[in-house]
Amino acid sequence: MHYIWIEHIDPILSQIPDYYKSAALILHPFVEMPEHFIHYPTIEQQMQYGKPVRWETICQLCNFKRKEDVLLALLSDSDALVEPYARPDLAEQLHKYLPKHIFFPTSDETSPLLWPAFLKLLIKSNSKKLYWSSPIILQSSVLPLDFVEPQLFVNLPEQELLVSNETMTIVWLSRFDSFVTTYLSSTVLNEQILESLALETIICDEHTPLWFWVKRDTF
């Protein structure tokens, strides 16, 4: 299988193959680093020293009422939104209250802090292989799961990327300028398993788009 393109505005469940029965948005965590870090940490530094910070914690730190405001702030700060949808006020609020040693989440690729959880999901599904596919460089590969460690993902292509098990029953999709990874499953997602892996997720219903702040009458 090649990369599955999902548009930002339409509901996710209406855009994916019928083989997949459920989907979730995995929120890329903010990254807490030791206080001596003043520049955005590299992937290797995040994996070695970084601690994930949940969006619900960011809401408390930055006086946001909901996680949708966090996404709006991030998208506005990255110029992914234009008027009248951009919310520069929320972006300013995020910069004002965010502690200096907590850095923005990754926007174009899955957060390196999430890869250990993905590998655990593969192991729970009794997968033997890991598959990845990139629509940007038009390459794909299959790797034996016995030799896969979180550090391997450092060398995978950035931006749009599909990563799955060999049967495609579990799929993670990164998307440029999204700050989330889309998780597709051929079965109903087990929320208890997601919580046990400390994944902060939004389980998709028939109306949930990639930009989950969007309301039907917004566009």
Side-chain angles (χ1 to χ4, degrees):
M1 177 182 286
H2 297 296
Y3 185 84
I4 303 171
W5 290 99
I6 297 177
E7 295 302 322
H8 295 94
I9 306 303
D10 295 329
I12 292 172
L13 292 178
S14 69
Q15 301 183 61
I16 60 178
D18 293 338
Y19 175 66
Y20 296 105
K21 305 305 180 185
S22 56
L25 296 175
I26 302 175
L27 308 183
H28 294 179
F30 286 71
V31 186
E32 181 179 352
M33 298 294 291
E35 294 193 7
H36 66 270
F37 275 84
I38 59 174
H39 299 295
Y40 196 87
T42 65
I43 292 177
E44 293 85 351
Q45 290 172 334
Q46 291 183 52
M47 297 181 76
Q48 184 173 0
Y49 303 109
K51 296 180 180 179
V53 180
R54 298 170 68 87
W55 288 28
E56 62 185 10
T57 301
I58 298 301
C59 286
Q60 297 170 4
L61 291 173
C62 299
N63 299 321
F64 289 130
K65 295 181 179 179
R66 52 183 194 155
K67 295 177 183 178
E68 287 87 344
D69 291 337
V70 178
L71 181 58
L72 273 170
L74 291 169
L75 292 171
S76 299
D77 186 76
S78 65
D79 295 326
L81 293 176
V82 296
E83 296 293 347
Y85 310 111
R87 290 292 306 273
D89 58 317
L90 294 180
E92 182 179 349
Q93 185 173 334
L94 182 60
H95 280 283
K96 179 179 179 181
Y97 293 107
L98 190 69
K100 298 299 182 184
H101 63 288
I102 296 180
F103 295 87
F104 279 18
T106 56
S107 60
D108 303 333
E109 59 273 347
T110 296
S111 167
L113 301 182
L114 295 176
W115 288 127
F118 180 70
L119 291 181
K120 290 178 182 178
L121 281 172
L122 292 180
I123 293 171
K124 285 180 179 292
S125 68
N126 296 317
S127 302
K128 304 300 182 184
K129 297 178 181 179
L130 179 146
Y131 172 81
W132 66 265
S133 174
S134 169
I136 304 299
I137 63 174
L138 300 178
Q139 291 184 7
S140 61
S141 179
V142 178
L143 304 170
L145 197 55
D146 291 343
F147 299 99
V148 175
E149 296 182 352
Q151 287 75 11
L152 171 138
F153 294 98
V154 174
N155 299 317
L156 292 185
E158 297 180 354
Q159 299 181 14
E160 282 81 2
L161 183 70
L162 177 150
V163 183
S164 73
N165 58 353
E166 67 270 34
T167 56
M168 300 294 174
T169 56
I170 296 175
V171 172
W172 279 25
L173 294 162
S174 60
R175 184 73 162 88
F176 183 76
D177 252 351
S178 68
F179 298 97
V180 302
T181 289
T182 306
Y183 176 18
L184 309 181
S185 175
S186 62
T187 60
V188 177
L189 287 171
N190 188 321
E191 294 188 47
Q192 289 183 333
I193 290 179
L194 299 180
E195 291 175 0
S196 71
L197 296 173
L199 293 173
E200 190 175 18
T201 62
I202 293 177
I203 305 298
C204 299
D205 61 23
E206 64 271 21
H207 304 301
T208 308
L210 186 62
W211 281 354
F212 59 87
W213 57 272
V214 174
K215 297 180 180 179
R216 284 186 171 274
D217 59 352
T218 304
F219 283 80

